[in-house]
Amino acid sequence: MARALGIDLGTTHSLAAYVDGRNRPRLVPVEDGRVLLPSAVHYGEGGAVEVGESALRRAAERPLDTVLSVKRLLGRAPSELPEGERSLFRIDGGGPALRLRVEGGRRAVTPVEVSAEILRVLKARAAAALGGAPGGCVVTVPAWFDDAQRQATRDAGRLAGLEVLRLLPEPTAAALAYGLDKRVQGTFAVYDLGGGTFDLSVLRLEAGLFEVKATAGDTRLGGDDMDQAVADWLLGRAGLRPEGQPPGTRHGALAAARALRERLSGEPEAEAALELPGGERRSARLDRAGLEELIRPVVERTVAPCLRALRDAGLAPEALDGVVLVGGATRTPLVRRRVREIFGREPLHDVDPDTAVALGAAIQADALDRGGREDLLLLDVIPLSLGVEMMGGGVERIVPRNSTIPATAAQLFTTSADGQTGLVVHVVQGERELARDCRSLARFTLRGIPPMPAGLAQVEITYAVDADGILSVAARERATGLEQRIQVKPTYGLSEEEVEAMLVEALEHADEDVAARLLAEWRVEGRRLAAALESALAEDGRLLAAEEREEIELRLRGLVEACAGDDPLAIQAWAESLDGAARGFAERRMDEHVGRAVKGRRVEELE
């Protein structure tokens, strides 16, 4: 039976999970037994696409052809990107949808297409782990994602060939994994600080009911911002201004900053090495106190959403039964201390912050795939108010934020001029009082209203929000029954026609795409194996007899030549041949290195 997947499409890492035959959620291994797939996509020559660790390694050498943190770009317009982020990409200037130029500028891709590449790899790895194609899936999104970002996520799933059963807010997914595992009940705050987004959700857990009471957050706040602060410090220590540096230098600084921040989560002091233009390397040491001064402004930005969500839920911090930490950035000691200060209690971190979201999504996917479970009911809320622009530019809210979804709400409107036969409906999302300060989602005109004096026509506008938080709008003139309805397709997303065209193109080129991916993957594996053997021969070649070394070097040359060609099966054959020939050499090296490590030491020292 095809298993449904839970997918955490993350800013820094992505992962997938499923529920096994014993009703236990399991993580899907993606690379060398690891479950975290770096959310990195590299576009190489000839259309080859690499995803994951190999793509991440390309970021410094080919920064403009490698897309990192694509989640922060979903559903955004080019004008919405800060200058610091714009400099990391080649932005295509044509059209309202954000497009990135890759492959040396020869190809344009959207964030939806980049995200679909990550989802395709997760789907393929799940198929390998499960012995067959997975069934439907639940994809998680930040609770604070607006309609455009949710639509873009769903489009990415469709483009990857996935049946998206539901979009599930990340804090709800984490609470689902935590609550069902711990069998807890009560009211909890879920503090979710990932690589690029932050959410604070207040949930009530009781006998299988997971009810979101309120949510708040920031879709441009996370570990990436901490890394940027540290990267700027590293560049400054190297005598460089952070602004105006080439993309390769910026990517290198961000990678060094991320490694430094992660080490300082467990060590009091650490050193980072930064490679400058021209190949010069500079080192800098930083202690935990110094790190905390650099990232404190980022952590402080999480405070206001926490207080707002509590206020919307009508709760004081002491009324909570616990605070659950989710997201890799919550491993930072400063974050944990600040959460303790905000909520007046020690946060719960006995669930893995990197995997809880995927595990919860798998539980929900399994429930939906089997037609629902009697012991599980999720009630989510809409994060941002939905309204319509009024005469004069004001906003009339129709669905207030934190309304439980699915939700339907309607209001009556009328004409403002005598003889008016049409009514423009401008759909907006946000909390500001003027439409120009809110997110514009859609605009359409209801035509054919009978001409009559101003104020007499009655037009009912109905907003319907589904379980994914995606909006449909209908406008109906009561006297004639004239009606127009649309599913809102955000201004800066891809049109339905564009998505369909991409799906058709993907089907038409499926065989060559698979071949290109297979070639790229085996080239990466072949080059990795060749480099490891060359290094081993240089270091410990004396362990080999002359004829053994000659045999290994013969197969090594064959592998290198195959990697320069276009036949993935040839690369695979030479790699397996070389691996078999070098197995005895690897065992001898291991024995010698272990022998050196234990030489002269007492047995009790090794216990």
Side-chain angles (χ1 to χ4, degrees), residues 170-183:
E170 290 164 6
T172 307
L176 188 58
Y178 181 84
L180 288 187
D181 181 51
K182 304 295 181 183
R183 296 294 188 268

Side-chain angles (χ1 to χ4, degrees), residues 243-579:
E243 304 82 14
Q245 294 302 320
T249 302
R250 288 178 60 82
H251 273 295
L254 286 169
R258 183 175 299 114
L260 185 60
R261 178 171 63 86
E262 290 173 352
R263 287 184 59 192
L264 287 171
S265 291
E267 301 174 19
E269 188 176 5
E271 184 175 279
L274 180 63
E275 186 168 332
L276 304 180
E280 182 185 357
R281 294 176 67 86
R282 297 279 182 87
S283 295
R285 294 195 69 81
L286 184 64
D287 59 20
R288 187 177 292 173
L291 170 70
E292 291 184 352
E293 281 305 305
L294 292 173
I295 67 174
R296 192 178 303 278
V298 178
V299 178
E300 286 302 309
R301 286 173 57 193
T302 69
V303 176
C306 290
L307 300 179
R308 185 167 66 248
L310 286 172
R311 185 175 63 249
D312 288 348
L315 295 171
E318 54 268 22
L320 297 172
D321 294 293
V323 181
V324 179
L325 296 183
V326 181
T330 61
R331 287 192 169 92
T332 306
L334 175 62
V335 171
R336 296 189 173 185
R337 290 204 311 275
R338 195 67 181 99
V339 171
R340 186 168 59 244
E341 292 166 1
I342 296 168
F343 295 97
R345 67 181 65 236
E346 190 68 32
L348 304 168
H349 46 78
D350 55 342
V351 291
D352 186 342
D354 286 322
T355 62
V357 168
L359 293 173
I363 294 169
Q364 174 68 357
D366 182 64
L368 293 175
D369 194 50
R370 291 191 292 160
R373 284 172 47 177
E374 293 181 359
D375 64 337
L376 176 59
L377 177 62
L378 300 184
L379 296 176
D380 288 322
V381 297
I382 188 166
L384 295 163
S385 299
L386 292 162
V388 64
E389 182 179 2
M390 305 292 290
M391 283 292 295
V395 174
E396 178 69 20
R397 293 187 179 88
I398 295 179
V399 184
R401 75 174 188 271
N402 290 319
S403 297
T404 300
I405 56 176
T408 301
Q411 286 194 35
L412 284 175
F413 296 88
T414 189
T415 52
S416 58
D418 292 342
Q420 183 176 335
T421 59
L423 185 72
V424 176
V425 179
H426 182 201
V427 182
V428 297
Q429 186 171 31
E431 307 308 317
R432 302 289 294 275
E433 296 302 321
L434 297 179
R436 71 186 184 203
D437 299 320
C438 293
R439 176 84 169 182
S440 175
L441 297 182
R443 192 189 299 264
F444 66 96
T445 302
L446 178 67
R447 302 184 188 279
I449 298 173
M452 59 183 75
L456 289 185
Q458 289 190 320
V459 178
E460 184 178 56
I461 297 179
T462 302
Y463 281 24
V465 185
D466 67 16
D468 294 325
I470 293 174
L471 171 67
S472 297
V473 178
R476 184 174 68 90
E477 199 282 312
R478 283 188 162 185
T480 62
L482 183 71
E483 183 175 21
Q484 182 175 344
R485 59 176 61 240
I486 62 165
Q487 180 175 11
V488 171
K489 195 70 181 179
T491 308
Y492 300 121
L494 293 170
S495 70
E496 189 69 21
E497 291 75 18
E498 288 177 296
V499 175
E500 290 298 334
M502 289 177 183
L503 287 169
V504 170
E505 185 181 9
L507 289 173
E508 289 176 346
H509 299 280
D511 291 342
E512 59 192 81
D513 287 349
V514 169
R517 184 184 297 278
L518 190 64
L519 176 61
E521 290 177 349
W522 273 109
R523 272 180 176 163
V524 170
E525 177 61 21
R527 288 166 178 164
R528 182 198 64 77
L529 180 59
L533 256 297
E534 288 169 351
S535 175
L537 288 172
E539 183 180 352
D540 294 317
R542 56 188 167 70
L543 298 176
L544 291 167
E547 60 273 13
E548 289 178 309
R549 179 162 187 153
E550 183 178 349
E551 183 66 25
I552 289 176
E553 288 181 338
L554 175 67
R555 301 187 191 198
L556 179 58
R557 287 194 296 273
L559 176 60
V560 171
E561 290 173 5
C563 287
D566 297 323
D567 185 352
L569 297 180
I571 301 173
Q572 180 183 5
W574 277 109
E576 291 173 349
S577 172
L578 177 59
D579 186 59

